Amino acid sequence: MNNTRHRVLTAGAVTVSAALAIVIGVRLSGYGVPVSLLLACCLSCVTTFSSLLFRVLSAWSTTTHRCTRPGCDFSVSLTHAASAENRRWQEIAARHPHRTH
């Protein structure tokens, strides 16, 4: 189920990126922009918008567990983890060996 949701969100991100690029392309074509330049602009827009949306989706689906000890920078980031796996890493982050100076 989780994998299906990820695929749908990815397809949605690509669709939104393509739609935004098409809108920009249509607006630019009204100014007489050459087709080769129009294609380059649209492809760069699709790439940029897709990259941004993929980063947002990745950040949205990532869980980070940090050590609660002050001054400790230990952390674990999980993407698309099951609840049992998520809980296991949360416990590991809470009881990992602390570095002492």
Side-chain angles (χ1 to χ4, degrees), residues 24-84:
I24 290 171
V26 168
R27 293 189 72 185
L28 284 175
S29 68
Y31 293 102
V33 175
V35 175
S36 60
L37 186 57
L38 193 60
L39 182 62
C41 288
C42 289
L43 289 176
S44 68
C45 286
V46 167
T47 304
T48 303
F49 294 144
S50 295
S51 176
L52 173 66
L53 291 175
F54 289 154
R55 285 179 181 257
V56 169
L57 289 175
S58 177
W60 184 45
S61 64
T62 301
T63 303
T64 302
H65 300 292
R66 291 181 176 82
C67 178
T68 56
R69 187 174 184 178
C72 184
D73 61 353
F74 179 83
S75 67
V76 177
S77 296
L78 304 171
T79 304
H80 306 295
S83 59

